[in-house]
Amino acid sequence: MRLLHTSDWHLGRAFHRVNMLDAQAEFIGHLVTTVRERGVDAVVVSGDVYDRAVPPLAAVELFDDALHRLADLGVPTVMISGNHDSARRLGVGAGLIGRAGIHLRTEPAACGTPVVLADDFGDVAFYGLPYLEPALVKDEFGVEKAGHEAVLAAAMERVRADLATRPPGTRSVVLAHAFVTGGEASDSERDITVGGVAAVPAGVFDGVDYAALGHLHGCQAITDRVRYSGSPLPYSFSETGHRKTMWLVDLDADGAVTAERLDCPVPRTLARIRGTLDDLLADPGLARYEDAWVEATLTDPVRPADPMARLTERFPHTLSLLFEPERAPDDPDVSYARRLAGRSDQQIAEDFVAHVRGAGPDERERTVLRDAFDAVRADETVREVAR
């Protein structure tokens, strides 16, 4: 069986101030063409179809167009909700849409109920594990402590239990939206940390032939059988080094996996440039970035006049302008933003405690802080889903 694995469409999302809807529509067209031309038997979309719980109307219309075009091909599609989606909203009409071969899996309770497709060698069971917010699903899965590994492991127990009841030789594919240990993150994924831990081990997916993952925006293989497709388009300059692709996966009669990366159309390359303003404007080696989306970091000791206007004369698609004057690390003028760069909310809070009290928090206080951050994040998720 030949699968096309994609995820993290984030329909409705912009790239800085650039509306990406046209680029997203071009990707949908590319997806449909790929399905038709490469003999794809099933499409899997591993979450974050939309960028937010209540997407703009134009994004909903594009999703509707995608569903119709995929249904017209007669190729089954399996989709799950991600942490950006409202599972309840995305799942509206799932039963009816399923009759057209578009299978939306948004209910945690249905993790162990697969979509079963067949090829010349028998059945392939597709299990959809939507994003499992630990605080919201721990009771459903009967886990004592809310955590990503615990709830995902419990969901996979249901998958393996169902698979054990099926005819020998039944192959299996799991769709999941999670942060798996060994994956490389970028700046454009929403933090899903719980209890100071976001990642789950790849071994959680043992026992299935292929795990089609979503959440991380870089295409990557954790193992031969556990892969992220990544987002088809860039959504932050941290993705400058990404090659935006989908996985074309062949599952043979015995469940062995071979995979090929297929490039997605990207409207412009990304570039990060750094230096003084005069150097950036004069350096002939930067000519290759004149048609790229640019993030420029200026290192001038004093902020120059009209930097964006001057930059866009040479780099008309400059979208982000940062200032990092080259100063000694102990210089009192080093910016607050630079001091916080790369630090988690937990670390910042602990530093604040140390600053005002003269000593950092002990383990009990760290736990209190961690629980508070988890509670706020879970509450925000509940509020967003309920909108």
Side-chain angles (χ1 to χ4, degrees):
M1 183 169 286
R2 172 163 283 186
L3 318 175
L4 187 62
H5 169 199
T6 178
S7 72
D8 295 273
W9 294 358
H10 289 280
L11 300 181
R13 186 167 184 165
F15 181 68
H16 289 261
R17 62 177 181 272
V18 176
N19 187 319
M20 296 290 277
L21 202 64
D22 287 345
Q24 291 168 340
E26 184 178 0
F27 162 70
I28 296 298
H30 171 72
L31 172 73
V32 171
T33 299
T34 300
V35 171
R36 183 174 58 249
E37 294 183 351
R38 296 300 298 265
V40 171
D41 298 307
V43 177
V44 295
V45 186
S46 300
D48 282 354
V49 174
Y50 291 122
D51 188 57
R52 55 182 186 266
V54 185
L57 178 59
V60 177
E61 290 173 340
L62 180 56
F63 180 58
D64 181 65
D65 177 64
L67 295 186
H68 278 85
R69 295 172 73 177
L70 287 168
D72 287 345
L73 291 174
V75 175
T77 299
V78 185
M79 295 183 173
I80 60 171
S81 49
N83 62 301
H84 280 251
D85 299 309
S86 165
R88 293 175 63 188
R89 288 176 183 271
L90 187 64
V92 169
L96 185 61
I97 294 171
R99 298 180 187 178
I102 309 294
H103 305 280
L104 298 173
R105 291 293 184 265
T106 63
E107 292 291 338
C111 284
T113 304
V115 176
V116 181
L117 306 177
D119 63 8
D120 293 340
F121 305 107
D123 289 345
V124 180
F126 290 79
Y127 297 89
L129 279 55
Y131 172 66
L132 302 174
E133 173 59 45
L136 302 183
V137 302
K138 65 183 181 69
D139 292 338
E140 166 63 34
F141 291 106
V143 298
E144 293 183 3
K145 186 176 180 180
H148 287 287
E149 183 175 355
V151 297
L152 198 54
M156 283 301 301
E157 287 178 4
R158 295 188 183 183
V159 168
R160 285 186 281 267
D162 179 84
L163 194 56
T165 68
R166 298 194 174 273
T170 298
R171 291 154 292 160
S172 54
V173 175
V174 165
L175 289 73
H177 197 87
F179 188 172
V180 174
T181 303
E184 183 178 345
S186 67
D187 293 342
S188 50
E189 298 112 8
R190 182 181 295 168
D191 181 29
I192 59 171
T193 302
V194 172
V197 178
V200 300
V204 165
F205 299 104
D206 287 351
V208 298
D209 294 306
Y210 185 70
L213 301 182
H215 180 57
L216 299 185
H217 288 187
C219 181
Q220 50 201 295
I222 306 300
T223 71
D224 286 345
R225 295 182 180 274
V226 180
R227 297 173 185 261
Y228 284 98
S229 67
S231 61
L233 293 164
Y235 294 111
S236 73
F237 277 101
S238 65
E239 299 170 57
T240 298
H242 288 187
R243 175 187 163 200
K244 294 302 182 182
T245 58
M246 302 177 286
W247 285 113
L248 187 69
V249 178
D250 286 313
L251 202 61
D252 75 7
D254 299 318
V257 171
T258 57
E260 175 187 356
R261 289 180 69 178
L262 303 181
D263 290 296
C264 297
V266 176
R268 292 185 192 280
T269 58
L270 307 185
R272 279 177 152 170
I273 59 178
R274 180 185 181 90
T276 66
L277 179 57
D278 288 342
D279 286 346
L280 296 182
L281 295 177
D283 186 351
L286 300 180
R288 64 187 184 277
Y289 300 137
E290 290 175 357
D291 194 44
W293 280 323
V294 169
E295 177 184 78
T297 300
L298 300 185
T299 60
D300 301 75
V302 177
R303 186 181 297 240
D306 300 321
M308 181 61 89
R310 293 169 65 189
L311 273 171
T312 53
E313 288 181 4
R314 183 179 187 191
F315 306 103
H317 305 289
T318 301
L319 300 181
S320 176
L321 181 59
L322 306 176
F323 293 93
E324 294 186 6
E326 292 185 344
R327 298 187 176 113
D330 57 353
D331 189 312
D333 289 332
V334 171
S335 73
Y336 180 69
R338 287 185 65 186
R339 295 200 300 272
L340 298 187
R343 302 184 68 75
S344 68
D345 290 341
Q346 177 86 13
Q347 291 170 322
I348 294 168
E350 291 181 11
D351 288 349
F352 176 76
V353 172
H355 173 72
V356 299
R357 193 171 65 183
D362 58 26
E363 189 55 40
R364 182 187 65 80
E365 292 168 330
R366 289 191 185 94
T367 300
V368 170
L369 286 171
R370 189 161 52 242
D371 290 346
F373 282 120
D374 288 348
V376 169
R377 190 187 51 77
D379 182 64
E380 289 175 346
T381 301
V382 171
R383 289 174 183 272
E384 186 167 340
V385 170
R387 288 175 62 191

Coordinates of all heavy atoms in Angstrom, one line a residue, residues 302-358:
V302 N 25.0 51.4 17.4 CA 23.9 52.4 17.6 C 22.9 52.1 16.5 O 23.2 51.9 15.3 CB 24.4 53.8 17.5 CG1 23.2 54.8 17.6 CG2 25.4 54.1 18.6
R303 N 21.6 52.1 16.9 CA 20.6 51.8 15.9 C 20.6 52.9 14.8 O 20.5 54.1 15.0 CB 19.2 51.9 16.6 CG 18.0 51.5 15.7 CD 16.7 51.6 16.5 NE 16.7 50.7 17.6 CZ 15.8 49.7 17.8 NH1 14.8 49.5 16.9 NH2 15.8 49.0 18.8
P304 N 20.8 52.4 13.5 CA 20.9 53.3 12.4 C 19.5 53.9 12.0 O 18.4 53.4 12.4 CB 21.4 52.5 11.3 CG 21.0 51.1 11.6 CD 21.0 51.0 13.1
A305 N 19.5 55.0 11.3 CA 18.3 55.7 10.9 C 17.6 54.9 9.7 O 18.3 54.4 8.8 CB 18.6 57.1 10.4
D306 N 16.3 54.8 9.8 CA 15.5 54.2 8.8 C 16.0 52.8 8.3 O 16.2 52.6 7.1 CB 15.4 55.1 7.6 CG 14.7 56.4 7.9 OD1 13.8 56.4 8.7 OD2 15.2 57.5 7.4
P307 N 16.3 51.9 9.2 CA 16.9 50.7 8.7 C 16.0 49.8 7.8 O 16.5 49.2 6.9 CB 17.2 49.9 10.1 CG 16.3 50.5 11.0 CD 16.1 51.9 10.7
M308 N 14.8 49.7 8.2 CA 13.9 48.9 7.3 C 13.8 49.4 5.9 O 13.8 48.7 4.9 CB 12.5 48.7 8.0 CG 11.6 47.8 7.2 SD 12.1 46.1 7.0 CE 11.5 45.3 8.5
A309 N 13.6 50.7 5.8 CA 13.4 51.4 4.5 C 14.7 51.1 3.7 O 14.6 50.9 2.5 CB 13.1 52.9 4.6
R310 N 15.8 51.3 4.3 CA 17.1 51.1 3.6 C 17.3 49.6 3.2 O 17.8 49.3 2.1 CB 18.2 51.6 4.4 CG 18.2 53.1 4.6 CD 19.2 53.6 5.6 NE 20.6 53.4 5.2 CZ 21.6 53.6 6.0 NH1 21.4 54.0 7.3 NH2 22.8 53.3 5.6
L311 N 17.0 48.7 4.1 CA 17.1 47.3 3.8 C 16.2 46.9 2.6 O 16.6 46.1 1.7 CB 16.8 46.4 5.0 CG 17.9 46.2 6.0 CD1 17.4 45.5 7.2 CD2 19.0 45.3 5.4
T312 N 15.0 47.3 2.6 CA 14.0 46.9 1.6 C 14.4 47.4 0.2 O 13.8 46.9 -0.8 CB 12.6 47.2 2.0 OG1 12.5 48.6 2.3 CG2 12.1 46.4 3.2
E313 N 15.2 48.4 0.1 CA 15.7 48.9 -1.2 C 16.5 47.8 -1.9 O 16.4 47.6 -3.1 CB 16.5 50.1 -1.0 CG 15.7 51.4 -0.7 CD 16.6 52.6 -0.6 OE1 17.8 52.5 -0.9 OE2 16.1 53.7 -0.2
R314 N 17.3 47.0 -1.1 CA 18.0 45.9 -1.7 C 17.3 44.6 -1.5 O 17.3 43.7 -2.4 CB 19.4 45.8 -1.0 CG 20.2 44.7 -1.6 CD 21.6 44.5 -1.1 NE 22.3 43.6 -1.9 CZ 23.5 43.0 -1.5 NH1 24.1 43.4 -0.4 NH2 24.1 42.2 -2.3
F315 N 16.7 44.4 -0.3 CA 16.0 43.1 0.0 C 14.5 43.5 0.2 O 14.0 43.7 1.3 CB 16.5 42.5 1.2 CG 18.0 42.3 1.2 CD1 18.9 43.1 1.9 CD2 18.6 41.2 0.5 CE1 20.2 43.0 1.9 CE2 20.0 41.0 0.5 CZ 20.8 41.9 1.2
P316 N 13.7 43.5 -0.9 CA 12.4 44.0 -0.9 C 11.4 43.2 0.0 O 10.3 43.6 0.3 CB 11.9 44.1 -2.3 CG 12.8 43.2 -3.1 CD 14.1 43.2 -2.3
H317 N 11.8 41.9 0.2 CA 10.9 41.0 1.0 C 11.5 40.8 2.4 O 11.3 39.7 3.0 CB 10.8 39.7 0.2 CG 10.4 39.8 -1.2 ND1 9.1 40.2 -1.5 CD2 11.0 39.7 -2.3 CE1 9.0 40.3 -2.8 NE2 10.1 40.0 -3.3
T318 N 12.1 41.8 3.0 CA 12.5 41.8 4.4 C 11.3 41.8 5.3 O 10.5 42.7 5.2 CB 13.4 42.9 4.7 OG1 14.6 42.9 3.9 CG2 13.9 42.8 6.2
L319 N 11.1 40.8 6.1 CA 9.9 40.7 7.0 C 10.2 40.9 8.4 O 9.3 41.2 9.2 CB 9.3 39.3 6.8 CG 8.8 39.0 5.4 CD1 8.2 37.6 5.3 CD2 7.9 40.0 4.8
S320 N 11.5 40.6 8.8 CA 11.8 40.7 10.3 C 13.1 41.5 10.4 O 14.1 41.2 9.7 CB 11.9 39.3 10.8 OG 12.4 39.3 12.2
L321 N 13.1 42.4 11.4 CA 14.3 43.2 11.6 C 14.6 43.1 13.1 O 13.8 43.5 14.0 CB 14.1 44.6 11.2 CG 15.2 45.6 11.4 CD1 16.5 45.2 10.6 CD2 14.8 47.0 10.9
L322 N 15.8 42.6 13.4 CA 16.2 42.5 14.8 C 17.5 43.3 15.1 O 18.3 43.6 14.2 CB 16.6 41.0 15.1 CG 15.5 40.0 14.8 CD1 16.0 38.6 15.1 CD2 14.2 40.2 15.6
F323 N 17.7 43.7 16.3 CA 18.8 44.5 16.7 C 19.6 43.8 17.8 O 19.1 43.5 18.9 CB 18.4 45.9 17.2 CG 17.8 46.8 16.1 CD1 16.5 46.8 15.9 CD2 18.6 47.5 15.3 CE1 15.9 47.6 14.9 CE2 18.1 48.3 14.3 CZ 16.7 48.3 14.1
E324 N 20.8 43.4 17.5 CA 21.7 42.8 18.5 C 23.1 43.5 18.4 O 24.0 42.9 17.8 CB 21.8 41.3 18.2 CG 20.5 40.5 18.4 CD 20.7 39.0 18.3 OE1 21.8 38.6 18.2 OE2 19.7 38.3 18.3
P325 N 23.2 44.6 19.0 CA 24.5 45.3 19.0 C 25.6 44.4 19.6 O 25.4 43.7 20.6 CB 24.3 46.6 19.9 CG 22.8 46.8 19.9 CD 22.2 45.4 19.8
E326 N 26.7 44.4 19.0 CA 27.8 43.6 19.4 C 28.5 44.3 20.6 O 29.3 45.2 20.5 CB 28.8 43.4 18.3 CG 28.3 42.5 17.2 CD 29.3 42.2 16.1 OE1 30.3 42.9 16.1 OE2 29.0 41.3 15.3
R327 N 28.1 43.8 21.8 CA 28.6 44.3 23.1 C 29.1 43.1 23.9 O 28.7 41.9 23.7 CB 27.5 45.0 23.9 CG 27.0 46.3 23.1 CD 26.0 47.0 24.1 NE 25.5 48.3 23.5 CZ 24.3 48.5 23.1 NH1 23.4 47.5 23.3 NH2 23.9 49.6 22.6
A328 N 29.8 43.4 24.9 CA 30.3 42.3 25.8 C 29.1 41.8 26.6 O 28.2 42.5 26.9 CB 31.3 42.9 26.8
P329 N 29.1 40.5 26.9 CA 27.9 39.9 27.6 C 27.6 40.6 28.9 O 26.4 40.6 29.4 CB 28.4 38.4 27.9 CG 29.4 38.2 26.8 CD 30.1 39.5 26.6
D330 N 28.6 41.2 29.6 CA 28.3 41.8 30.9 C 28.0 43.3 30.8 O 27.8 44.0 31.7 CB 29.5 41.7 31.8 CG 30.8 42.3 31.3 OD1 30.8 42.6 30.1 OD2 31.8 42.3 32.0
D331 N 27.8 43.8 29.5 CA 27.5 45.2 29.3 C 26.1 45.4 29.8 O 25.1 44.6 29.5 CB 27.5 45.5 27.8 CG 27.4 46.9 27.5 OD1 26.4 47.6 28.0 OD2 28.1 47.5 26.7
P332 N 25.8 46.4 30.6 CA 24.5 46.6 31.2 C 23.4 47.0 30.2 O 22.2 46.9 30.4 CB 24.7 47.8 32.2 CG 26.0 48.5 31.7 CD 26.8 47.4 31.1
D333 N 23.9 47.3 29.0 CA 22.9 47.7 27.9 C 22.4 46.4 27.1 O 21.7 46.6 26.2 CB 23.5 48.7 26.9 CG 23.6 50.1 27.6 OD1 22.8 50.3 28.5 OD2 24.5 50.8 27.2
V334 N 23.0 45.3 27.4 CA 22.5 44.1 26.7 C 21.0 43.9 27.0 O 20.6 44.0 28.1 CB 23.3 42.8 27.2 CG1 22.6 41.6 26.7 CG2 24.7 42.9 26.8
S335 N 20.3 43.7 25.9 CA 18.8 43.8 26.0 C 18.2 42.7 26.9 O 18.8 41.6 27.0 CB 18.2 43.8 24.6 OG 18.3 42.4 24.1
Y336 N 17.1 43.0 27.5 CA 16.3 42.1 28.2 C 15.9 40.9 27.4 O 16.0 39.7 27.8 CB 15.0 42.8 28.8 CG 14.1 41.9 29.6 CD1 14.5 41.4 30.9 CD2 12.9 41.5 29.2 CE1 13.7 40.6 31.6 CE2 12.1 40.7 29.9 CZ 12.5 40.3 31.2 OH 11.6 39.5 31.9
A337 N 15.5 41.2 26.1 CA 15.1 40.1 25.2 C 16.3 39.1 25.0 O 16.1 37.9 24.9 CB 14.6 40.6 23.9
R338 N 17.5 39.6 24.8 CA 18.6 38.8 24.6 C 18.9 37.9 25.9 O 19.3 36.8 25.7 CB 19.9 39.6 24.2 CG 19.8 40.2 22.8 CD 21.1 40.9 22.5 NE 22.2 40.0 22.5 CZ 23.5 40.3 22.3 NH1 23.8 41.6 22.2 NH2 24.5 39.5 22.2
R339 N 18.7 38.5 27.1 CA 19.0 37.7 28.3 C 18.0 36.6 28.4 O 18.3 35.6 29.0 CB 18.9 38.6 29.5 CG 20.0 39.7 29.5 CD 20.2 40.2 30.9 NE 19.0 40.8 31.5 CZ 18.7 42.1 31.3 NH1 19.5 42.9 30.6 NH2 17.6 42.6 31.8
L340 N 16.8 36.8 27.9 CA 15.8 35.7 28.0 C 15.8 34.7 26.8 O 15.1 33.7 26.9 CB 14.4 36.4 28.0 CG 14.1 37.3 29.2 CD1 12.6 37.7 29.2 CD2 14.4 36.6 30.5
A341 N 16.5 35.0 25.8 CA 16.5 34.2 24.6 C 16.8 32.7 24.9 O 17.8 32.4 25.6 CB 17.5 34.7 23.5
G342 N 16.0 31.8 24.4 CA 16.2 30.4 24.6 C 15.8 29.8 26.0 O 16.1 28.7 26.2
R343 N 15.3 30.7 26.8 CA 14.9 30.2 28.2 C 13.4 29.9 28.3 O 12.6 30.7 27.7 CB 15.3 31.3 29.2 CG 16.8 31.6 29.2 CD 17.2 32.5 30.3 NE 17.1 31.9 31.6 CZ 18.0 31.0 32.1 NH1 19.0 30.6 31.4 NH2 17.8 30.5 33.3
S344 N 13.1 28.9 29.0 CA 11.7 28.5 29.1 C 11.0 29.4 30.2 O 11.7 30.1 31.0 CB 11.5 27.1 29.6 OG 12.0 26.9 30.9
D345 N 9.7 29.4 30.2 CA 8.9 30.1 31.2 C 9.3 29.7 32.6 O 9.5 30.5 33.5 CB 7.4 30.0 31.0 CG 6.9 30.6 29.8 OD1 7.6 31.5 29.3 OD2 5.8 30.3 29.3
Q346 N 9.5 28.4 32.8 CA 9.9 27.9 34.1 C 11.3 28.4 34.5 O 11.5 28.9 35.7 CB 10.0 26.3 34.0 CG 10.5 25.7 35.3 CD 9.4 25.4 36.3 OE1 8.2 25.5 35.9 NE2 9.8 25.0 37.5
Q347 N 12.2 28.5 33.6 CA 13.6 29.0 33.9 C 13.5 30.5 34.3 O 14.2 30.9 35.2 CB 14.5 28.7 32.8 CG 14.9 27.3 32.5 CD 15.6 27.0 31.2 OE1 15.3 27.7 30.2 NE2 16.6 26.1 31.3
I348 N 12.7 31.2 33.5 CA 12.6 32.7 33.8 C 12.0 32.9 35.1 O 12.4 33.8 35.9 CB 11.7 33.3 32.7 CG1 12.5 33.3 31.3 CG2 11.4 34.8 33.0 CD1 11.6 33.6 30.1
A349 N 11.0 32.1 35.5 CA 10.3 32.3 36.8 C 11.3 31.9 37.9 O 11.4 32.6 39.0 CB 9.1 31.4 36.9
E350 N 12.1 30.9 37.7 CA 13.1 30.5 38.7 C 14.1 31.6 38.9 O 14.6 31.9 40.0 CB 13.7 29.1 38.4 CG 12.7 28.0 38.5 CD 13.4 26.6 38.2 OE1 14.6 26.6 38.1 OE2 12.6 25.6 38.0
D351 N 14.6 32.2 37.8 CA 15.5 33.2 37.9 C 15.0 34.5 38.6 O 15.7 35.1 39.3 CB 16.0 33.7 36.4 CG 16.9 32.6 35.8 OD1 17.3 31.7 36.5 OD2 17.1 32.8 34.6
F352 N 13.7 34.7 38.4 CA 13.0 35.8 39.1 C 13.0 35.6 40.6 O 13.3 36.5 41.4 CB 11.6 36.0 38.6 CG 10.9 37.1 39.3 CD1 11.1 38.4 39.0 CD2 9.9 36.8 40.2 CE1 10.4 39.5 39.7 CE2 9.2 37.8 40.9 CZ 9.5 39.1 40.6
V353 N 12.7 34.4 41.0 CA 12.7 34.0 42.4 C 14.1 34.3 43.0 O 14.3 34.9 44.1 CB 12.2 32.6 42.6 CG1 12.5 32.2 44.1 CG2 10.8 32.4 42.2
A354 N 15.1 33.8 42.3 CA 16.5 34.0 42.7 C 16.9 35.5 42.8 O 17.6 35.9 43.8 CB 17.5 33.3 41.8
H355 N 16.3 36.3 41.9 CA 16.7 37.7 41.9 C 16.1 38.4 43.1 O 16.7 39.2 43.7 CB 16.2 38.3 40.6 CG 16.3 39.8 40.5 ND1 17.5 40.4 40.4 CD2 15.4 40.8 40.6 CE1 17.4 41.7 40.3 NE2 16.1 42.0 40.5
V356 N 14.8 38.1 43.4 CA 14.1 38.9 44.4 C 14.4 38.4 45.8 O 14.3 39.1 46.8 CB 12.6 39.0 44.2 CG1 12.3 39.7 42.9 CG2 12.0 37.6 44.2
R357 N 14.8 37.1 45.9 CA 15.0 36.5 47.2 C 16.5 36.2 47.6 O 16.8 36.1 48.7 CB 14.2 35.2 47.3 CG 14.1 34.6 48.7 CD 13.1 33.4 48.8 NE 13.6 32.3 48.0 CZ 13.0 31.1 47.9 NH1 11.7 31.0 48.4 NH2 13.5 30.1 47.2
G358 N 17.3 36.2 46.5 CA 18.7 35.9 46.8 C 19.1 34.5 46.7 O 20.3 34.1 46.7

